[in-house]
Amino acid sequence: MKSVFSMLLLAASLFVISPILAQGNLPDQIQGYFQKIQKEFPTEKSYLHLDKRTYTLGEDVWFSAYLLAGSNQIPSPLSRTLYVDIFDGSGLLLEQRKVRMEDGLGSGDFKIPRFGKTGTYQIKAYTAWMRNFGEEYFLTSSFVVVDGAGGSFLPKVDFKEISVGLGQIKYLVQLDAVSSSGNPLANQTLELRALAGDAELHKQSISLNSQGQATFSFSIPEKANPSQSLELTYFENGDYPVTQTIRLPYALKFADIQFLPEGGHWVIGKKANVAFRAIDPDGIPVSIQGDIEGLEFTSRFGGMGKVELTPTKAEYSASITNPKTKESQTIPLPKADTEGLVVQVVNNPNAAFVTVFVQGNYEPNSLLLVSQTRGVINYMIQGALANGVWGVRIPKENLISGINHITVLSSEGKPLLERLIFMQMDDFLKLELSHTGSINPRGKVALNLSSKILNQPISGSFSIAVSDADQVSDQSDEFGTIFSTLLLTSDLRGKIHQPGYYFKDQEEETLEVLDLVMMTHGWRRFSWDDVMSNKLPEITNFIERGINIEGQVKEQQETRRGLAGGKVSAVLGDGIEIVSSEFGPNGRFIFTELDYQDSVAVTITAEDSRVKRLVDVSIIKPEAVFSKISGSYPNQIDWPTALAETFAERNMLQKLNEDQNILDLEGVTVEAKTIQKEDEEIRKIYGVGDVTINPDKIPGNVAFTNVFQLIQGRVSGVQVFISGLSVSVLIRGVGSANAGTEPLYLLDNMPVDAGTLLQINPRDVASVDVFKDPARAAIFGAQGANGVIAVYTKFGAGMSTRSTGGTLVTQYGGYDSPREFYSPKYDIRTVENAATDSRATIYWNPTIKTDASGKAQIEFYNSDRANRHLIIIEGMDAQGRLGRAVKVIQ
């Protein structure tokens, strides 16, 4: 792996254009530290291009994965395994994908549960190597999921007032509830719950008037919860719950409001730019207005703003008001120094230099300015104040795109001033897109793509999403782009609101708010204390070049002498791969860099040099990095009318053209009649349910924390509600007259309560049977009238893994096999083509490559209804230079 690191270091050094002007031990120390970091600890970043950002339940999410490494962000030659975790609207982990990466590229897909939760789904993408540097470096992205058939309840909530007193936060709320057709839910009753994560803060019923409206108030305990939401439930037809969840705003007193002088300090008598930012505990910005001793200010985009002030005293306070709720509070500003240094950085887009002005006084009068981007030092110079001023011009030709970090240090290496600026250089790929022919129903569309860099053709790898522009909108501003992720958010602390907004154009307004981001969000890739103390990252996770299987060998009967060590071998599937390794007296072994897809049978054989085959072998499955994260909730329910209108047609088309074994977990069966399978069926004394769920067939099951996650969103007519240590299940069987009450729970054929099942480790579960049909549940008598959930453990219903005579046969998941996007061909009439085609995503391809002349052609067939196509292309070339293009054709 050292050769890989050396390659990264060479790539980084090619971009250090100017000489380092400073001399002496401190500059050498700084340069040496950054070179060592680049050589031995290159960081990785990931990005996912999704086919769109709003989906309906049951749809596929298609993604292309990009993985870059090193300071200059070349396609990563390091990790070959990218983990992609998908969380539902409440932050519960649904599935995990293991994506095989090659030359920094990979792809995958994820099926949203047809009967799952709606809301803002979140994604985290990371490699094992990234874990050494902290979870904050993982990619965090999101998309919205709505129930295409759930337009019966669309509430609009307006928080009129928020007040705090006696340890409570009181909300005054105006509620309007309508259906998707705009009809009010007249005289209906709703259930309201205020939640902080899974904790219930408040619950009450709301009665709507004849206009579907209500005005009411409620209170919750006064606390800064990491996330909080308002859950509203309407019982359609009087019994079936339709739930919508929105974000519950915070009281202003919990907002983190910071005033940040440029460079980190301000000095009495020196003019200063003071930026500010206001965010709630969940990272969502707050719009504020206020004044500082008569100087009025108002926040701009993202709760940020700036005031220009020349302090005449040390202490100032700002009077802050939330213009919507009328809450107010007073915030102290940082104390102004009586003497010291201040900085102003001028980044004129039309100038060839970035100008840095340092003013004030400092003894000893010896300073060092360091300018670097992601650890690549592009300028370093020693200097001193002359008449209280030191000016430095940094040539822009030295810089690369991204966040440039300017630091002024003392001669001892103490950081005195720091300023971030964003540089967008002429090092992006230019993508041009043209099309031939008109957009006709089921007509053939041909796209021509060209990629250039500095007007020279360049080959590259790209992903393309073509959508029906009347069903899908470009939500890049809100959710981000390949530019905003890899050049902005991945290098800053905290959550960046609507990151794609800062890359929509190069207008003055956009550049100004981008600079506010630079002034209000700190750099997170390193600290100067670490540089000065030569502190290097602690490596606990190694680079994964493939699938790793780790295990343990133990004596069948423990003896005083214990194991001596020996050899262990593994056969994957029907001889896909045969590998061997060794284990020591502690019995631990690992097989590394395996390359296979899906879950396969693994036969592991171990022999100890002392006790021979009298050993047991077990697999150590890795623990999930995340099982649950803080939920993300919209401020209001945004109903995508056009997307919902085509829901039934798209759902039918999907069922006709997809692999049914993938589409419906109700169809998961094991074809071969193994002894283990026969044993399991014998143990099921009540027979097999309407639906049988095999946990080993669910991708990412390693991350599940309870049995009910195996069921949630995977079985039609079954709703699972998990809240902390309690759970409720509603089964709507055909003709069931008892909807709304709990089913019968069985654990290895014995009746138990839901709380008992919550304690069962999902890894110990062999299968889960769900009985929905009252006729099939009749064998359980009156107890089964509301359905049955039967859980069979590996120990009680036949072991799925058995270790005998030093041999273990088990299942172990490999890389996920990316499915092929269904793109119909309408030049030939078929039975499958007879269905109405109302696809929202018309074409998706994660691997478009332009040739040496920078060109590629794409062909696909239009749907029945699309009149306009929204096309989004993203990607990079072999050096990691990024490109993106958005176009609407009609």
Side-chain angles (χ1 to χ4, degrees):
M1 197 56 60
K2 287 185 178 180
S3 62
V4 172
F5 295 150
S6 299
M7 180 181 69
L8 289 172
L9 178 60
L10 175 61
S13 65
L14 295 176
F15 285 86
V16 183
I17 302 172
S18 70
I20 303 301
L21 303 179
Q23 302 294 326
N25 293 333
L26 180 59
D28 292 342
Q29 180 181 352
I30 293 171
Q31 184 77 294
Y33 179 86
F34 282 120
Q35 287 182 347
K36 188 174 183 67
I37 287 289
Q38 293 169 44
K39 182 178 180 180
E40 299 185 16
F41 306 96
T43 55
E44 288 183 314
K45 295 180 179 181
S46 63
Y47 172 69
L48 300 182
H49 176 197
L50 277 59
D51 64 305
K52 56 182 186 288
R53 292 288 180 165
T54 298
Y55 301 84
T56 50
L57 288 172
E59 268 198 283
D60 293 306
V61 177
W62 303 92
F63 64 83
S64 184
Y66 296 89
L67 185 64
L68 288 81
S71 296
N72 283 284
Q73 302 189 166
I74 65 172
S76 180
L78 306 178
S79 300
R80 290 184 64 183
T81 303
L82 179 71
Y83 298 91
V84 179
D85 294 350
I86 301 99
F87 304 81
D88 70 11
S90 63
L92 183 69
L93 180 64
L94 287 179
E95 293 195 19
Q96 181 184 82
R97 290 285 184 262
K98 279 189 283 191
V99 180
R100 186 181 185 277
M101 306 299 294
E102 189 70 37
D103 297 326
L105 302 170
S107 63
D109 57 87
F110 162 68
K111 177 168 287 298
I112 301 168
R114 173 63 186 88
F115 311 101
K117 288 185 177 181
T118 60
T120 302
Y121 281 45
Q122 297 181 76
I123 305 174
K124 287 189 178 291
Y126 53 93
T127 64
W129 180 248
M130 287 182 192
R131 295 178 63 180
N132 296 303
F133 309 100
E135 294 176 3
E136 63 271 21
Y137 298 120
F138 297 177
L139 168 70
T140 299
S141 189
S142 59
F143 56 91
V144 175
V145 176
V146 300
D147 184 356
S152 60
F153 176 45
L154 302 177
K156 180 180 179 181
V157 181
D158 186 9
F159 296 92
K160 294 291 187 181
E161 292 182 11
I162 302 176
S163 58
V164 180
L166 301 177
Q168 296 283 307
I169 303 173
K170 184 177 180 180
Y171 296 87
L172 177 63
V173 183
Q174 170 70 51
L175 171 66
D176 287 81
V178 298
S179 66
S180 59
S181 59
N183 296 321
L185 301 183
N187 304 314
Q188 298 294 317
T189 298
L190 309 179
E191 292 295 329
L192 175 147
R193 291 205 306 159
L195 302 170
D198 291 331
E200 185 176 276
L201 307 178
H202 176 77
K203 183 177 182 179
Q204 73 179 78
S205 296
I206 305 296
S207 297
L208 303 176
N209 63 19
S210 60
Q211 301 301 312
Q213 300 174 333
T215 300
F216 59 94
S217 62
F218 67 92
S219 299
I220 64 173
E222 182 182 341
K223 186 179 179 181
N225 301 300
S227 70
Q228 56 188 39
S229 59
L230 193 66
E231 183 182 273
L232 294 162
T233 301
Y234 162 61
F235 291 90
E236 186 179 357
N237 299 323
D239 68 346
Y240 191 68
V242 179
T243 300
Q244 300 284 12
T245 305
I246 64 170
R247 177 177 178 267
L248 182 61
Y250 293 81
L252 183 64
K253 69 169 293 182
F254 293 127
D256 180 13
I257 304 174
Q258 297 185 22
F259 287 84
L260 303 159
E262 184 174 12
H265 296 276
W266 59 333
V267 175
I268 294 175
K270 303 291 184 182
K271 185 170 68 174
N273 290 315
V274 181
F276 63 86
R277 180 179 66 143
I279 58 170
D280 276 331
D282 59 356
I284 300 300
V286 182
S287 295
I288 61 172
Q289 61 186 29
D291 73 84
I292 303 171
E293 297 191 356
L295 178 61
E296 296 183 351
F297 58 85
T298 301
S299 60
R300 298 168 69 177
F301 185 78
M304 301 177 296
K306 183 172 65 174
V307 295
E308 188 178 279
L309 183 65
T310 301
T312 59
K313 58 182 181 179
E315 297 185 1
Y316 286 87
S317 294
S319 299
I320 306 295
T321 302
N322 183 323
K324 177 174 174 55
T325 64
K326 309 306 180 186
E327 300 168 273
S328 62
Q329 67 178 119
T330 301
I331 301 293
L333 273 64
K335 287 186 178 181
D337 299 327
T338 55
E339 57 182 28
L341 298 176
V342 297
V343 68
Q344 287 186 324
V345 176
V346 179
N347 180 19
N348 188 329
N350 300 317
F353 297 88
V354 173
T355 305
V356 182
F357 292 103
V358 179
Q359 301 180 68
N361 54 77
Y362 185 77
E363 294 295 338
N365 188 14
S366 177
L367 304 172
L368 176 67
L369 182 143
V370 179
S371 172
Q372 56 89 16
T373 301
R374 298 186 296 271
V376 177
I377 298 177
N378 48 62
Y379 203 77
M380 191 187 308
I381 187 170
Q382 286 179 322
L385 298 166
N387 298 319
V389 178
W390 180 35
V392 176
R393 295 200 304 175
I394 303 172
K396 287 187 178 180
E397 63 182 9
N398 288 23
L399 308 180
I400 56 178
S401 290
I403 298 172
N404 197 57
H405 190 172
I406 299 170
T407 308
V408 177
L409 300 103
S410 68
S411 56
E412 295 81 22
K414 176 184 176 181
L416 305 174
L417 300 165
E418 290 193 288
R419 177 68 153 91
L420 306 182
I421 59 171
F422 189 87
M423 301 302 304
Q424 185 165 320
M425 310 303 295
D426 193 16
D427 53 4
F428 290 169
L429 302 181
K430 183 179 180 182
L431 306 183
E432 295 180 345
L433 190 68
S434 62
H435 78 285
T436 57
S438 57
I439 308 299
N440 297 316
R442 300 200 174 194
K444 192 173 187 179
V445 180
L447 301 177
N448 296 299
L449 172 66
S450 69
S451 53
K452 298 179 180 179
I453 183 77
L454 300 176
N455 291 321
Q456 295 298 315
I458 189 76
S459 60
S461 300
F462 306 94
S463 46
I464 179 172
V466 182
S467 307
D468 182 344
D470 292 319
Q471 296 190 65
V472 177
S473 61
D474 181 7
Q475 298 176 279
S476 303
D477 285 2
E478 180 177 356
F479 294 99
T481 68
I482 195 169
F483 294 139
S484 65
T485 299
L486 297 175
L487 299 177
L488 181 69
T489 58
S490 55
D491 287 322
L492 293 178
R493 294 195 189 106
K495 184 176 182 179
I496 309 299
H497 178 65
Q498 295 191 13
Y501 174 87
Y502 307 103
F503 293 83
K504 64 186 181 69
D505 54 45
Q506 289 290 294
E507 299 297 324
E508 182 178 358
E509 168 68 17
T510 307
L511 295 177
E512 286 180 0
V513 293
L514 176 56
D515 196 51
L516 289 177
V517 174
M518 298 296 98
M519 295 180 69
T520 57
H521 293 74
W523 180 261
R524 70 182 182 190
R525 286 284 166 181
F526 74 93
S527 75
W528 282 105
D529 288 341
D530 291 345
V531 177
M532 292 302 107
S533 62
N534 199 35
K535 181 180 178 181
L536 301 172
E538 182 180 351
I539 301 302
T540 57
N541 294 276
F542 296 98
I543 294 169
E544 289 185 338
R545 302 287 296 166
I547 301 295
N548 296 339
I549 300 179
E550 189 174 356
Q552 179 72 50
V553 178
K554 292 183 179 180
E555 292 179 281
Q556 288 182 344
Q557 294 184 346
E558 188 174 345
T559 64
R560 182 181 301 175
R561 294 175 62 186
L563 296 173
K567 294 184 177 181
V568 59
S569 61
V571 179
L572 276 62
D574 297 325
I576 297 174
E577 193 171 355
I578 301 175
V579 293
S580 61
S581 184
E582 295 182 350
F583 62 91
N586 66 356
R588 294 294 288 268
F589 65 86
I590 185 171
F591 301 111
T592 62
E593 298 190 19
L594 304 177
D595 190 355
Y596 64 93
Q597 292 183 321
D598 301 321
S599 182
V600 301
V602 180
T603 303
I604 301 176
T605 302
E607 182 172 345
D608 183 68
S609 60
R610 191 182 72 81
V611 299
K612 306 304 179 184
R613 290 292 189 89
L614 298 177
V615 294
D616 286 328
V617 183
S618 61
I619 291 294
I620 302 172
K621 288 191 175 182
E623 294 292 334
V625 178
F626 308 98
S627 59
K628 196 175 192 310
I629 60 177
S630 294
S632 178
Y633 309 99
N635 288 317
Q636 291 293 345
I637 302 301
D638 186 13
W639 184 248
T641 303
L643 192 65
E645 286 177 351
T646 64
F647 171 71
E649 294 171 350
R650 289 185 290 108
N651 192 42
M652 178 61 68
L653 186 67
Q654 188 178 49
K655 287 182 177 180
L656 289 173
N657 293 286
E658 249 183 334
D659 182 344
Q660 293 301 309
N661 287 328
I662 297 174
L663 177 66
D664 190 357
L665 279 176
E666 298 190 23
V668 172
T669 58
V670 178
E671 295 180 1
K673 274 281 188 176
T674 63
I675 294 176
Q676 175 187 319
K677 183 66 177 177
E678 291 176 353
D679 287 347
E680 183 176 334
E681 291 183 356
I682 292 172
R683 298 295 182 99
K684 294 182 179 182
I685 62 175
Y686 297 106
V688 179
D690 300 289
V691 180
T692 298
I693 298 173
N694 182 348
D696 290 335
K697 298 293 184 181
I698 302 176
N701 67 79
V702 66
F704 292 159
T705 58
N706 65 70
V707 170
F708 292 95
Q709 287 175 261
L710 302 173
I711 307 170
Q712 195 167 42
R714 292 182 169 84
V715 183
S716 63
V718 178
Q719 288 192 319
V720 179
F721 306 92
I722 303 174
S723 178
L725 298 177
S726 64
V727 65
S728 176
V729 177
L730 173 64
I731 299 179
R732 298 188 76 187
V734 178
S736 173
N738 295 284
T741 55
E742 288 289 299
L744 170 66
Y745 299 106
L746 297 177
L747 177 60
D748 291 331
N749 300 314
M750 297 297 294
V752 295
D753 59 20
T756 300
L757 290 187
L758 268 177
Q759 306 306 312
I760 301 298
N761 189 332
R763 298 186 188 186
D764 296 333
V765 175
S767 65
V768 179
D769 278 49
V770 181
F771 293 81
K772 302 187 297 176
D773 187 346
R776 299 198 67 174
I779 191 174
F780 300 97
Q783 287 181 302
N786 301 305
V788 180
I789 304 293
V791 175
Y792 299 93
T793 63
K794 294 174 180 177
F795 306 99
M799 286 284 291
S800 66
T801 57
R802 292 176 175 173
S803 176
T804 305
T807 298
L808 171 73
V809 180
T810 186
Q811 294 283 128
Y812 203 88
Y815 290 117
D816 286 286
S817 296
R819 289 184 292 147
E820 184 177 350
F821 177 81
Y822 170 69
S823 184
K825 297 186 186 322
Y826 288 131
D827 53 345
I828 302 175
R829 287 180 175 271
T830 65
V831 175
E832 292 80 5
N833 290 347
T836 301
D837 184 354
S838 297
R839 286 170 295 147
T841 300
I842 296 170
Y843 180 75
W844 165 258
N845 192 328
T847 52
I848 296 289
K849 293 185 180 293
T850 53
D851 57 23
S853 64
K855 297 188 180 300
Q857 187 176 63
I858 305 109
E859 293 182 339
F860 58 90
Y861 287 88
N862 189 24
S863 67
D864 284 324
R865 62 177 289 156
N867 298 312
R868 301 182 304 135
H869 289 172
L870 169 65
I871 305 171
I872 299 179
I873 300 176
E874 295 186 310
M876 63 185 181
D877 69 359
Q879 295 184 39
R881 292 175 294 195
L882 309 177
R884 186 173 194 270
V886 179
K887 187 171 184 177
V888 175
I889 62 174
Q890 54 189 1

